[in-house]
Structures are given as structure tokens and as C-alpha cells.
Amino acid sequence: MKKRVGILISGRGSNMMALVAAARAADYPAEIAAVISSAPDAAGLAWAQARGLPARAIDHRAYPTREAFDWAVDAALTDAGVELVALAGFMRIQSVGFVARWEGRQLNIHPSLLPLFKGLHPHRQALDAGVKVSGCTVHFLTADTDSGPIVAQAAVPVLDGDTPESLAARVLAAEHRLYPYALALVASGRARVEGGRVRIDAVGHPDGCLLSPQP
Ligand code: GAR
């Protein structure tokens, strides 16, 4: 049985597009049961609706409190039979109750190698720190921002002359490969949280390493 996934977006939605594309494969272990945008004018929402996906806006500005908005989202996810939530550029902080309700069933992607560079402007933070490798992380959501158990990470080189924009573009291309893979690991039951860490069954381990800069 494919796991029913709800994707929450707020903007461009390129990670949602990568998940939608992956889920078209017959042997992918998840199907997209709902796309919910917190912004009615999000480009990603128009894209999803144009393709006939079950996509709708829940405008956060129409709700008096964070909790009221979250419970509207929760109701929509529940109505759609969603079992796993994937945040994809969803730019709303969630209430403690919502996070607790979906704990262990909600994934986020963050464009840094966590636990480095949490929060806003991770690419600017990475450049300021002078790291030679950055990347992206898919993790389970917990109450502490960008701190939940890590499912998978992808690394990219940081190049001399990079700007936050050029680094973001390189990381984003990695995000589009990582998120469908990480969601598949969770949806298939191969990735499980145990003792605050994610254990992964039966995946190969890379025997190489990324040298950055290249020799
Ligand atoms: C992505 O780079 C994602 O990692 C980031 O927002 C972008 C959304 O792009 N998320 C965060 O920074 C969350 N802290 P998208 O709408 O094209 O997927």
C-alpha cells in the first residue's frame, strides 16, 4: 500500500514538483493525497491545480491565531486521509499541538547540512562560515526548529566566488534528488526513528567521499 502524503507549501514549490514527479512511478511507495498552500497566490499552488492534483489554499491570514490555522490544515490533511506530511518550502511556524500530533509523521527539508546553519539565510551563514561543503537535510519535524531526527543529507561543494544565490541553486538541485529519496525511505518503512535518531535498513553506503575543493 502506498503511503498517502500531504505536501505543505508556501511559494515556488519546486520540491513539491520533485515529489510529485517521483510519485508518478508505479513502484514509488507514496502517493500525493493533498497539496496545501498557506498562500493563495503561491506559484506552486497554481502549478499543482493546473495538473489536477488535489491542491488548495488555506490562507493563514484568514485565521485569528496560529492554532486556528493549524487546525484547519490538520482537518484538511485528515479529510484527505494523509498519513505522512512533507513540508516543502512551508514558511509557517507550527503550533506545539500540531507538531505533537504529527510527530514521527512529518518531514521537512532544510537547505543546509544540519545541525549547521539552522533558521533563516542558511546559504549566507554557510558563506560567512567559510565552509567548503554545504548541502541539504531531510529530517523529522520536532518542536525545536530544524532540529529533528535526520533521515538523509546531500552534500555539494561551496565554490570560490559563490553568492548566496549561486549556492542556493546548487543546493536546490540536490534537494530535488534528496527529498524524493528520503520520503521513499520513510514511506517504505526503511527509515525509522529509534532513540531520537533515524535508523535505515538495507541501503548501500557510499565508499567514496566528496573532496572540496577538488584536488
Ligand atoms: C527550499 O530551498 C527549501 O529547502 C527551503 O525553502 C526552499 C523552498 O523552495 N526551506 C527552508 O528554508 C525551510 N527552513 P521550493 O518552494 O522551490 O521548494
Side-chain angles (χ1 to χ4, degrees):
M1 278 289 277
K2 288 177 184 260
K3 282 269 191 241
R4 293 178 66 79
V5 173
I7 306 176
L8 304 188
I9 65 170
S10 298
R12 176 178 62 183
S14 70
N15 277 291
M16 170 204 64
M17 295 172 198
L19 296 178
V20 167
R24 286 203 186 101
D27 60 350
Y28 194 74
E31 62 186 316
I32 309 308
V35 175
I36 297 170
S37 173
S38 62
D41 58 351
L45 177 64
W47 182 92
Q49 288 175 331
R51 278 151 190 82
L53 290 159
R56 58 178 284 203
I58 298 181
D59 187 349
H60 67 92
R61 292 166 302 187
Y63 294 85
T65 62
R66 189 179 297 287
E67 286 74 17
F69 169 72
D70 281 356
W71 290 117
V73 173
D74 185 73
L77 293 171
T78 303
D79 284 353
V82 165
E83 301 166 283
L84 273 177
V85 175
L87 304 186
F90 184 66
M91 291 306 183
R92 308 297 306 165
I93 303 275
Q94 296 176 335
S95 57
V96 173
F98 188 95
V99 172
R101 178 159 157 65
W102 289 93
E103 186 152 354
R105 299 183 296 149
Q106 184 166 220
L107 297 172
N108 182 42
I109 189 160
H110 182 76
S112 74
L113 291 174
L114 291 174
L116 291 173
F117 316 138
K118 298 175 182 180
L120 295 175
H121 311 302
H123 306 300
R124 164 55 61 204
Q125 293 186 56
L127 293 176
D128 287 349
V131 295
K132 301 300 184 203
V133 172
S134 192
C136 48
T137 303
V138 174
H139 65 94
F140 283 100
L141 210 85
T142 56
D144 288 339
T145 306
D146 300 330
S147 298
I150 292 170
V151 178
Q153 296 183 300
V156 302
V158 180
L159 306 180
D160 284 352
D162 260 337
T163 62
E165 292 74 27
S166 65
L167 179 57
R170 195 174 308 118
V171 171
L172 190 66
E175 293 182 50
H176 297 161
R177 292 177 60 188
L178 182 70
Y179 211 172
Y181 173 58
L183 177 63
L185 288 175
V186 173
S188 65
R190 283 188 290 155
R192 297 181 318 276
V193 182
E194 280 176 24
R197 295 188 194 182
V198 177
R199 291 192 66 87
I200 302 194
D201 293 335
V203 283
H205 292 285
D207 53 8
C209 66
L210 169 65
L211 294 187
S212 176
Q214 290 278 304

